[in-house]
Amino acid sequence: MEWVAGIIGLVGGFVIAVNLLKSILADVSKEELLRNKSLHWKYGTLVWVFAIACSAASVYTYREFFQ
């Protein structure tokens, strides 16, 4: 069951991070987002880090309260 908590945390982290990026990058044009590869690395990495952190927090919370 621990892996289920990890997967839920990972998906939840992705959802939260993408919604956060929508507000951060609201003033950037679509063309700029498609052309500027540094934005891909900068914000793509941010999304992955946020998702992994949420997954780890979810597993930790499961271990603390449900085992």
Short mmCIF file of all heavy atoms in Angstrom, two decimals:
data_model
loop_
_atom_site.label_atom_id
_atom_site.label_comp_id
_atom_site.label_asym_id
_atom_site.label_seq_id
_atom_site.Cartn_x
_atom_site.Cartn_y
_atom_site.Cartn_z
N MET A 1 0.81 -1.21 0.00
CA MET A 1 0.00 0.00 0.00
C MET A 1 0.85 1.27 0.00
O MET A 1 0.38 2.32 -0.37
CB MET A 1 -0.92 0.02 1.22
CG MET A 1 -2.14 -0.86 1.09
SD MET A 1 -3.16 -0.50 -0.33
CE MET A 1 -3.95 0.99 0.16
N GLU A 2 2.08 1.11 0.40
CA GLU A 2 2.97 2.27 0.44
C GLU A 2 3.21 2.84 -0.96
O GLU A 2 3.27 4.05 -1.14
CB GLU A 2 4.30 1.82 1.04
CG GLU A 2 5.16 2.92 1.54
CD GLU A 2 6.31 2.34 2.34
OE1 GLU A 2 6.09 1.94 3.50
OE2 GLU A 2 7.41 2.28 1.77
N TRP A 3 3.30 1.98 -1.95
CA TRP A 3 3.52 2.43 -3.32
C TRP A 3 2.31 3.18 -3.86
O TRP A 3 2.46 4.07 -4.71
CB TRP A 3 3.91 1.27 -4.23
CG TRP A 3 2.88 0.17 -4.30
CD1 TRP A 3 2.76 -0.89 -3.46
CD2 TRP A 3 1.84 0.06 -5.27
NE1 TRP A 3 1.69 -1.66 -3.85
CE2 TRP A 3 1.12 -1.11 -4.95
CE3 TRP A 3 1.45 0.82 -6.35
CZ2 TRP A 3 0.01 -1.51 -5.70
CZ3 TRP A 3 0.36 0.40 -7.10
CH2 TRP A 3 -0.35 -0.76 -6.76
N VAL A 4 1.11 2.83 -3.39
CA VAL A 4 -0.09 3.55 -3.82
C VAL A 4 -0.03 4.99 -3.32
O VAL A 4 -0.34 5.94 -4.06
CB VAL A 4 -1.37 2.85 -3.30
CG1 VAL A 4 -2.60 3.67 -3.60
CG2 VAL A 4 -1.50 1.46 -3.91
N ALA A 5 0.40 5.18 -2.09
CA ALA A 5 0.56 6.53 -1.55
C ALA A 5 1.60 7.30 -2.35
O ALA A 5 1.43 8.49 -2.62
CB ALA A 5 0.96 6.47 -0.08
N GLY A 6 2.67 6.63 -2.75
CA GLY A 6 3.71 7.28 -3.56
C GLY A 6 3.20 7.71 -4.92
O GLY A 6 3.50 8.81 -5.39
N ILE A 7 2.42 6.87 -5.56
CA ILE A 7 1.88 7.20 -6.88
C ILE A 7 0.87 8.33 -6.77
O ILE A 7 0.86 9.26 -7.60
CB ILE A 7 1.26 5.95 -7.54
CG1 ILE A 7 2.36 4.97 -7.91
CG2 ILE A 7 0.44 6.33 -8.77
CD1 ILE A 7 1.87 3.64 -8.40
N ILE A 8 0.02 8.29 -5.75
CA ILE A 8 -0.95 9.36 -5.56
C ILE A 8 -0.22 10.68 -5.29
O ILE A 8 -0.60 11.73 -5.82
CB ILE A 8 -1.93 9.02 -4.42
CG1 ILE A 8 -2.84 7.88 -4.85
CG2 ILE A 8 -2.74 10.23 -3.98
CD1 ILE A 8 -3.69 7.30 -3.75
N GLY A 9 0.83 10.64 -4.50
CA GLY A 9 1.62 11.85 -4.23
C GLY A 9 2.30 12.37 -5.48
O GLY A 9 2.37 13.58 -5.71
N LEU A 10 2.81 11.47 -6.33
CA LEU A 10 3.47 11.87 -7.56
C LEU A 10 2.49 12.56 -8.51
O LEU A 10 2.77 13.64 -9.03
CB LEU A 10 4.10 10.65 -8.24
CG LEU A 10 4.96 10.94 -9.45
CD1 LEU A 10 6.27 11.58 -9.01
CD2 LEU A 10 5.23 9.67 -10.22
N VAL A 11 1.34 11.95 -8.71
CA VAL A 11 0.33 12.54 -9.59
C VAL A 11 -0.17 13.85 -9.02
O VAL A 11 -0.32 14.85 -9.74
CB VAL A 11 -0.83 11.55 -9.83
CG1 VAL A 11 -1.98 12.20 -10.56
CG2 VAL A 11 -0.34 10.33 -10.60
N GLY A 12 -0.42 13.88 -7.74
CA GLY A 12 -0.86 15.12 -7.09
C GLY A 12 0.19 16.22 -7.20
O GLY A 12 -0.14 17.39 -7.43
N GLY A 13 1.45 15.86 -7.06
CA GLY A 13 2.53 16.83 -7.21
C GLY A 13 2.59 17.40 -8.61
O GLY A 13 2.83 18.60 -8.80
N PHE A 14 2.40 16.54 -9.61
CA PHE A 14 2.37 17.02 -10.99
C PHE A 14 1.22 18.00 -11.21
O PHE A 14 1.39 19.05 -11.82
CB PHE A 14 2.23 15.87 -11.98
CG PHE A 14 3.53 15.26 -12.39
CD1 PHE A 14 3.81 13.95 -12.10
CD2 PHE A 14 4.47 15.99 -13.09
CE1 PHE A 14 4.99 13.36 -12.48
CE2 PHE A 14 5.67 15.43 -13.47
CZ PHE A 14 5.93 14.11 -13.16
N VAL A 15 0.06 17.66 -10.71
CA VAL A 15 -1.12 18.53 -10.89
C VAL A 15 -0.89 19.87 -10.22
O VAL A 15 -1.15 20.93 -10.82
CB VAL A 15 -2.38 17.83 -10.34
CG1 VAL A 15 -3.55 18.79 -10.27
CG2 VAL A 15 -2.73 16.62 -11.18
N ILE A 16 -0.40 19.87 -9.01
CA ILE A 16 -0.15 21.12 -8.29
C ILE A 16 0.92 21.95 -9.00
O ILE A 16 0.76 23.16 -9.19
CB ILE A 16 0.25 20.83 -6.84
CG1 ILE A 16 -0.93 20.24 -6.07
CG2 ILE A 16 0.74 22.10 -6.15
CD1 ILE A 16 -0.56 19.67 -4.71
N ALA A 17 2.01 21.30 -9.43
CA ALA A 17 3.10 22.03 -10.08
C ALA A 17 2.68 22.62 -11.42
O ALA A 17 3.04 23.76 -11.75
CB ALA A 17 4.30 21.11 -10.26
N VAL A 18 1.91 21.88 -12.20
CA VAL A 18 1.46 22.40 -13.50
C VAL A 18 0.51 23.57 -13.31
O VAL A 18 0.58 24.57 -14.03
CB VAL A 18 0.84 21.27 -14.35
CG1 VAL A 18 0.11 21.82 -15.55
CG2 VAL A 18 1.90 20.29 -14.77
N ASN A 19 -0.36 23.49 -12.33
CA ASN A 19 -1.25 24.61 -12.05
C ASN A 19 -0.48 25.83 -11.55
O ASN A 19 -0.83 26.96 -11.88
CB ASN A 19 -2.34 24.22 -11.05
CG ASN A 19 -3.41 23.37 -11.68
OD1 ASN A 19 -3.75 23.55 -12.84
ND2 ASN A 19 -3.94 22.44 -10.92
N LEU A 20 0.55 25.59 -10.77
CA LEU A 20 1.41 26.68 -10.32
C LEU A 20 2.13 27.32 -11.50
O LEU A 20 2.23 28.54 -11.59
CB LEU A 20 2.41 26.16 -9.30
CG LEU A 20 3.37 27.15 -8.67
CD1 LEU A 20 2.60 28.17 -7.84
CD2 LEU A 20 4.38 26.42 -7.81
N LEU A 21 2.61 26.50 -12.43
CA LEU A 21 3.29 27.03 -13.61
C LEU A 21 2.35 27.82 -14.51
O LEU A 21 2.78 28.77 -15.17
CB LEU A 21 3.93 25.90 -14.41
CG LEU A 21 5.26 25.40 -13.94
CD1 LEU A 21 5.79 24.35 -14.88
CD2 LEU A 21 6.26 26.52 -13.80
N LYS A 22 1.10 27.42 -14.55
CA LYS A 22 0.14 28.19 -15.36
C LYS A 22 0.05 29.63 -14.88
O LYS A 22 -0.02 30.55 -15.68
CB LYS A 22 -1.26 27.55 -15.29
CG LYS A 22 -1.52 26.60 -16.41
CD LYS A 22 -2.98 26.31 -16.64
CE LYS A 22 -3.70 25.72 -15.48
NZ LYS A 22 -5.04 25.23 -15.80
N SER A 23 0.08 29.82 -13.58
CA SER A 23 0.01 31.19 -13.06
C SER A 23 1.34 31.92 -13.19
O SER A 23 1.37 33.12 -13.44
CB SER A 23 -0.45 31.18 -11.60
OG SER A 23 0.50 30.54 -10.79
N ILE A 24 2.46 31.19 -13.06
CA ILE A 24 3.77 31.82 -13.19
C ILE A 24 4.03 32.25 -14.63
O ILE A 24 4.56 33.33 -14.89
CB ILE A 24 4.88 30.86 -12.71
CG1 ILE A 24 4.79 30.66 -11.20
CG2 ILE A 24 6.25 31.39 -13.08
CD1 ILE A 24 5.72 29.60 -10.67
N LEU A 25 3.66 31.41 -15.59
CA LEU A 25 3.96 31.66 -16.99
C LEU A 25 2.78 32.25 -17.76
O LEU A 25 2.73 32.15 -18.99
CB LEU A 25 4.42 30.36 -17.66
CG LEU A 25 5.69 29.75 -17.10
CD1 LEU A 25 5.96 28.39 -17.73
CD2 LEU A 25 6.87 30.68 -17.31
N ALA A 26 1.85 32.87 -17.07
CA ALA A 26 0.66 33.41 -17.73
C ALA A 26 1.01 34.53 -18.70
O ALA A 26 0.34 34.69 -19.73
CB ALA A 26 -0.33 33.92 -16.69
N ASP A 27 2.04 35.31 -18.43
CA ASP A 27 2.38 36.44 -19.30
C ASP A 27 3.36 36.09 -20.41
O ASP A 27 3.69 36.93 -21.23
CB ASP A 27 2.95 37.59 -18.47
CG ASP A 27 4.19 37.18 -17.70
OD1 ASP A 27 4.36 35.98 -17.47
OD2 ASP A 27 4.97 38.08 -17.31
N VAL A 28 3.79 34.84 -20.50
CA VAL A 28 4.71 34.40 -21.55
C VAL A 28 3.89 33.90 -22.73
O VAL A 28 2.94 33.14 -22.56
CB VAL A 28 5.64 33.28 -21.03
CG1 VAL A 28 6.58 32.82 -22.11
CG2 VAL A 28 6.41 33.76 -19.81
N SER A 29 4.27 34.34 -23.94
CA SER A 29 3.51 33.96 -25.13
C SER A 29 3.72 32.48 -25.47
O SER A 29 4.72 31.87 -25.08
CB SER A 29 3.91 34.82 -26.32
OG SER A 29 5.24 34.51 -26.71
N LYS A 30 2.78 31.94 -26.23
CA LYS A 30 2.86 30.53 -26.63
C LYS A 30 4.09 30.29 -27.50
O LYS A 30 4.76 29.26 -27.37
CB LYS A 30 1.59 30.15 -27.38
CG LYS A 30 1.53 28.71 -27.77
CD LYS A 30 0.23 28.38 -28.47
CE LYS A 30 0.19 26.92 -28.85
NZ LYS A 30 -1.05 26.56 -29.52
N GLU A 31 4.40 31.23 -28.38
CA GLU A 31 5.56 31.09 -29.25
C GLU A 31 6.85 31.05 -28.44
O GLU A 31 7.76 30.28 -28.73
CB GLU A 31 5.63 32.24 -30.27
CG GLU A 31 4.51 32.21 -31.29
CD GLU A 31 3.21 32.81 -30.76
OE1 GLU A 31 3.25 33.63 -29.81
OE2 GLU A 31 2.15 32.44 -31.27
N GLU A 32 6.93 31.90 -27.42
CA GLU A 32 8.11 31.92 -26.56
C GLU A 32 8.26 30.59 -25.80
O GLU A 32 9.36 30.07 -25.66
CB GLU A 32 8.03 33.08 -25.58
CG GLU A 32 9.19 33.18 -24.63
CD GLU A 32 10.50 33.57 -25.30
OE1 GLU A 32 10.47 34.13 -26.40
OE2 GLU A 32 11.56 33.29 -24.71
N LEU A 33 7.16 30.05 -25.35
CA LEU A 33 7.20 28.77 -24.64
C LEU A 33 7.67 27.64 -25.55
O LEU A 33 8.38 26.74 -25.13
CB LEU A 33 5.83 28.43 -24.07
CG LEU A 33 5.35 29.24 -22.89
CD1 LEU A 33 3.91 28.88 -22.56
CD2 LEU A 33 6.24 29.04 -21.69
N LEU A 34 7.29 27.70 -26.82
CA LEU A 34 7.68 26.66 -27.75
C LEU A 34 9.12 26.81 -28.23
O LEU A 34 9.78 25.81 -28.52
CB LEU A 34 6.74 26.66 -28.96
CG LEU A 34 5.30 26.24 -28.67
CD1 LEU A 34 4.43 26.44 -29.91
CD2 LEU A 34 5.24 24.80 -28.21
N ARG A 35 9.62 28.03 -28.33
CA ARG A 35 10.96 28.27 -28.87
C ARG A 35 12.06 28.25 -27.82
O ARG A 35 13.17 27.81 -28.10
CB ARG A 35 11.00 29.63 -29.58
CG ARG A 35 10.54 29.53 -31.00
CD ARG A 35 10.84 30.80 -31.73
NE ARG A 35 9.57 31.51 -31.86
CZ ARG A 35 9.38 32.79 -31.63
NH1 ARG A 35 10.37 33.55 -31.28
NH2 ARG A 35 8.19 33.33 -31.77
N ASN A 36 11.80 28.73 -26.64
CA ASN A 36 12.85 28.91 -25.63
C ASN A 36 13.08 27.61 -24.86
O ASN A 36 12.33 27.25 -23.95
CB ASN A 36 12.46 30.04 -24.68
CG ASN A 36 13.60 30.48 -23.82
OD1 ASN A 36 14.62 29.81 -23.72
ND2 ASN A 36 13.43 31.62 -23.19
N LYS A 37 14.14 26.91 -25.23
CA LYS A 37 14.44 25.61 -24.60
C LYS A 37 14.91 25.75 -23.15
O LYS A 37 14.80 24.82 -22.37
CB LYS A 37 15.50 24.86 -25.41
CG LYS A 37 15.05 24.51 -26.80
CD LYS A 37 13.88 23.58 -26.78
CE LYS A 37 13.48 23.23 -28.20
NZ LYS A 37 12.24 22.51 -28.29
N SER A 38 15.43 26.92 -22.78
CA SER A 38 15.86 27.08 -21.39
C SER A 38 14.65 27.07 -20.45
O SER A 38 14.76 26.65 -19.30
CB SER A 38 16.66 28.37 -21.22
OG SER A 38 15.84 29.50 -21.39
N LEU A 39 13.50 27.53 -20.95
CA LEU A 39 12.28 27.46 -20.13
C LEU A 39 11.87 26.01 -19.92
O LEU A 39 11.40 25.65 -18.84
CB LEU A 39 11.14 28.23 -20.80
CG LEU A 39 11.25 29.75 -20.83
CD1 LEU A 39 10.08 30.33 -21.59
CD2 LEU A 39 11.31 30.31 -19.43
N HIS A 40 12.07 25.17 -20.93
CA HIS A 40 11.72 23.76 -20.80
C HIS A 40 12.52 23.11 -19.68
O HIS A 40 11.97 22.40 -18.85
CB HIS A 40 12.02 23.02 -22.11
CG HIS A 40 11.13 23.39 -23.24
ND1 HIS A 40 10.89 22.55 -24.29
CD2 HIS A 40 10.41 24.50 -23.50
CE1 HIS A 40 10.08 23.13 -25.14
NE2 HIS A 40 9.78 24.32 -24.69
N TRP A 41 13.84 23.35 -19.69
CA TRP A 41 14.69 22.74 -18.67
C TRP A 41 14.42 23.31 -17.30
O TRP A 41 14.35 22.59 -16.30
CB TRP A 41 16.17 22.90 -19.03
CG TRP A 41 16.58 21.93 -20.07
CD1 TRP A 41 16.77 22.19 -21.40
CD2 TRP A 41 16.80 20.53 -19.89
NE1 TRP A 41 17.10 21.04 -22.05
CE2 TRP A 41 17.13 20.01 -21.15
CE3 TRP A 41 16.75 19.69 -18.80
CZ2 TRP A 41 17.42 18.66 -21.33
CZ3 TRP A 41 17.05 18.35 -18.99
CH2 TRP A 41 17.37 17.85 -20.24
N LYS A 42 14.27 24.62 -17.22
CA LYS A 42 14.09 25.28 -15.92
C LYS A 42 12.78 24.86 -15.27
O LYS A 42 12.75 24.38 -14.13
CB LYS A 42 14.12 26.79 -16.12
CG LYS A 42 13.98 27.58 -14.86
CD LYS A 42 14.04 29.07 -15.17
CE LYS A 42 13.88 29.92 -13.95
NZ LYS A 42 13.92 31.34 -14.27
N TYR A 43 11.68 25.02 -15.99
CA TYR A 43 10.38 24.76 -15.39
C TYR A 43 10.00 23.28 -15.45
O TYR A 43 9.25 22.79 -14.60
CB TYR A 43 9.31 25.63 -16.04
CG TYR A 43 9.52 27.08 -15.71
CD1 TYR A 43 9.89 28.00 -16.68
CD2 TYR A 43 9.36 27.53 -14.41
CE1 TYR A 43 10.08 29.33 -16.36
CE2 TYR A 43 9.56 28.86 -14.09
CZ TYR A 43 9.92 29.75 -15.06
OH TYR A 43 10.11 31.06 -14.74
N GLY A 44 10.51 22.55 -16.42
CA GLY A 44 10.27 21.10 -16.47
C GLY A 44 10.92 20.40 -15.29
O GLY A 44 10.33 19.51 -14.67
N THR A 45 12.14 20.81 -14.99
CA THR A 45 12.84 20.25 -13.83
C THR A 45 12.12 20.61 -12.54
O THR A 45 12.00 19.78 -11.63
CB THR A 45 14.29 20.76 -13.80
OG1 THR A 45 14.91 20.45 -15.04
CG2 THR A 45 15.06 20.11 -12.67
N LEU A 46 11.62 21.83 -12.48
CA LEU A 46 10.86 22.26 -11.29
C LEU A 46 9.64 21.38 -11.07
O LEU A 46 9.35 20.98 -9.94
CB LEU A 46 10.45 23.73 -11.45
CG LEU A 46 9.62 24.32 -10.32
CD1 LEU A 46 10.48 24.49 -9.08
CD2 LEU A 46 9.02 25.64 -10.75
N VAL A 47 8.94 21.04 -12.14
CA VAL A 47 7.75 20.19 -12.02
C VAL A 47 8.14 18.81 -11.51
O VAL A 47 7.48 18.27 -10.61
CB VAL A 47 7.02 20.09 -13.38
CG1 VAL A 47 5.95 19.01 -13.34
CG2 VAL A 47 6.40 21.42 -13.75
N TRP A 48 9.22 18.23 -12.05
CA TRP A 48 9.64 16.91 -11.60
C TRP A 48 10.08 16.92 -10.14
O TRP A 48 9.75 16.01 -9.37
CB TRP A 48 10.77 16.38 -12.48
CG TRP A 48 10.25 15.70 -13.70
CD1 TRP A 48 10.16 16.22 -14.95
CD2 TRP A 48 9.69 14.38 -13.77
NE1 TRP A 48 9.60 15.30 -15.79
CE2 TRP A 48 9.32 14.16 -15.10
CE3 TRP A 48 9.51 13.37 -12.84
CZ2 TRP A 48 8.74 12.97 -15.51
CZ3 TRP A 48 8.94 12.18 -13.26
CH2 TRP A 48 8.56 11.98 -14.58
N VAL A 49 10.82 17.94 -9.75
CA VAL A 49 11.28 18.04 -8.35
C VAL A 49 10.09 18.16 -7.41
O VAL A 49 10.03 17.51 -6.36
CB VAL A 49 12.27 19.22 -8.18
CG1 VAL A 49 12.52 19.54 -6.73
CG2 VAL A 49 13.57 18.92 -8.89
N PHE A 50 9.12 18.98 -7.79
CA PHE A 50 7.93 19.16 -6.96
C PHE A 50 7.14 17.85 -6.86
O PHE A 50 6.68 17.48 -5.78
CB PHE A 50 7.05 20.28 -7.55
CG PHE A 50 6.07 20.84 -6.59
CD1 PHE A 50 6.43 21.85 -5.72
CD2 PHE A 50 4.77 20.36 -6.53
CE1 PHE A 50 5.53 22.37 -4.82
CE2 PHE A 50 3.86 20.88 -5.64
CZ PHE A 50 4.24 21.89 -4.77
N ALA A 51 7.01 17.14 -7.97
CA ALA A 51 6.26 15.88 -7.96
C ALA A 51 6.97 14.82 -7.11
O ALA A 51 6.32 14.11 -6.34
CB ALA A 51 6.09 15.38 -9.39
N ILE A 52 8.29 14.73 -7.22
CA ILE A 52 9.03 13.76 -6.42
C ILE A 52 8.96 14.11 -4.93
O ILE A 52 8.82 13.23 -4.08
CB ILE A 52 10.48 13.66 -6.93
CG1 ILE A 52 10.48 13.00 -8.31
CG2 ILE A 52 11.36 12.88 -5.95
CD1 ILE A 52 11.81 13.05 -9.02
N ALA A 53 9.03 15.41 -4.62
CA ALA A 53 8.93 15.83 -3.22
C ALA A 53 7.55 15.50 -2.65
O ALA A 53 7.44 15.03 -1.51
CB ALA A 53 9.21 17.32 -3.09
N CYS A 54 6.51 15.71 -3.43
CA CYS A 54 5.16 15.37 -2.96
C CYS A 54 4.99 13.86 -2.79
O CYS A 54 4.33 13.41 -1.86
CB CYS A 54 4.12 15.91 -3.93
SG CYS A 54 3.87 17.67 -3.80
N SER A 55 5.61 13.10 -3.68
CA SER A 55 5.56 11.64 -3.56
C SER A 55 6.27 11.18 -2.28
O SER A 55 5.75 10.33 -1.55
CB SER A 55 6.20 11.00 -4.78
OG SER A 55 6.18 9.60 -4.68
N ALA A 56 7.45 11.73 -2.02
CA ALA A 56 8.19 11.37 -0.81
C ALA A 56 7.42 11.78 0.44
O ALA A 56 7.37 11.02 1.42
CB ALA A 56 9.56 12.02 -0.82
N ALA A 57 6.81 12.95 0.41
CA ALA A 57 6.02 13.41 1.56
C ALA A 57 4.80 12.50 1.77
O ALA A 57 4.42 12.22 2.91
CB ALA A 57 5.58 14.85 1.35
N SER A 58 4.22 12.05 0.69
CA SER A 58 3.06 11.17 0.78
C SER A 58 3.45 9.82 1.39
O SER A 58 2.75 9.29 2.26
CB SER A 58 2.46 10.97 -0.61
OG SER A 58 1.38 10.12 -0.58
N VAL A 59 4.58 9.27 0.97
CA VAL A 59 5.06 8.00 1.54
C VAL A 59 5.41 8.17 3.00
O VAL A 59 5.08 7.33 3.84
CB VAL A 59 6.25 7.46 0.73
CG1 VAL A 59 6.91 6.29 1.44
CG2 VAL A 59 5.80 7.04 -0.66
N TYR A 60 6.07 9.27 3.35
CA TYR A 60 6.41 9.54 4.75
C TYR A 60 5.15 9.65 5.60
O TYR A 60 5.09 9.08 6.70
CB TYR A 60 7.23 10.83 4.84
CG TYR A 60 7.51 11.26 6.25
CD1 TYR A 60 8.49 10.61 7.01
CD2 TYR A 60 6.79 12.28 6.85
CE1 TYR A 60 8.74 10.99 8.31
CE2 TYR A 60 7.02 12.67 8.16
CZ TYR A 60 8.00 12.01 8.88
OH TYR A 60 8.23 12.39 10.18
N THR A 61 4.17 10.37 5.10
CA THR A 61 2.91 10.52 5.84
C THR A 61 2.22 9.18 6.02
O THR A 61 1.70 8.88 7.10
CB THR A 61 1.98 11.50 5.10
OG1 THR A 61 2.65 12.75 4.95
CG2 THR A 61 0.68 11.71 5.85
N TYR A 62 2.23 8.35 4.99
CA TYR A 62 1.63 7.02 5.10
C TYR A 62 2.34 6.20 6.17
O TYR A 62 1.69 5.54 6.99
CB TYR A 62 1.69 6.30 3.75
CG TYR A 62 1.16 4.90 3.82
CD1 TYR A 62 -0.21 4.66 3.78
CD2 TYR A 62 2.01 3.81 3.95
CE1 TYR A 62 -0.71 3.38 3.87
CE2 TYR A 62 1.53 2.52 4.04
CZ TYR A 62 0.16 2.31 4.00
OH TYR A 62 -0.34 1.04 4.10
N ARG A 63 3.67 6.22 6.16
CA ARG A 63 4.44 5.45 7.15
C ARG A 63 4.19 5.94 8.57
O ARG A 63 4.12 5.15 9.50
CB ARG A 63 5.93 5.54 6.83
CG ARG A 63 6.35 4.73 5.66
CD ARG A 63 7.83 4.87 5.41
NE ARG A 63 8.24 4.12 4.24
CZ ARG A 63 9.43 4.25 3.68
NH1 ARG A 63 10.30 5.12 4.17
NH2 ARG A 63 9.73 3.56 2.61
N GLU A 64 4.06 7.24 8.75
CA GLU A 64 3.88 7.81 10.09
C GLU A 64 2.50 7.52 10.65
O GLU A 64 2.37 7.22 11.85
CB GLU A 64 4.08 9.32 10.05
CG GLU A 64 5.52 9.74 10.06
CD GLU A 64 6.24 9.40 11.34
OE1 GLU A 64 5.68 9.64 12.44
OE2 GLU A 64 7.36 8.86 11.25
N PHE A 65 1.46 7.60 9.83
CA PHE A 65 0.09 7.56 10.36
C PHE A 65 -0.65 6.26 10.10
O PHE A 65 -1.65 5.99 10.75
CB PHE A 65 -0.72 8.71 9.80
CG PHE A 65 -0.22 10.06 10.26
CD1 PHE A 65 0.43 10.91 9.39
CD2 PHE A 65 -0.37 10.45 11.58
CE1 PHE A 65 0.90 12.13 9.82
CE2 PHE A 65 0.10 11.67 12.01
CZ PHE A 65 0.74 12.52 11.13
N PHE A 66 -0.19 5.45 9.15
CA PHE A 66 -0.96 4.26 8.80
C PHE A 66 -0.21 2.96 9.01
O PHE A 66 -0.72 1.90 8.67
CB PHE A 66 -1.46 4.36 7.36
CG PHE A 66 -2.38 5.52 7.15
CD1 PHE A 66 -1.96 6.61 6.41
CD2 PHE A 66 -3.65 5.53 7.69
CE1 PHE A 66 -2.81 7.69 6.21
CE2 PHE A 66 -4.49 6.61 7.50
CZ PHE A 66 -4.06 7.69 6.76
N GLN A 67 1.00 3.00 9.54
CA GLN A 67 1.70 1.75 9.82
C GLN A 67 2.05 1.65 11.27
O GLN A 67 2.16 2.53 11.99
CB GLN A 67 2.98 1.65 8.98
CG GLN A 67 2.69 1.20 7.60
CD GLN A 67 3.98 0.89 6.85
OE1 GLN A 67 5.08 1.20 7.30
NE2 GLN A 67 3.84 0.29 5.70
#
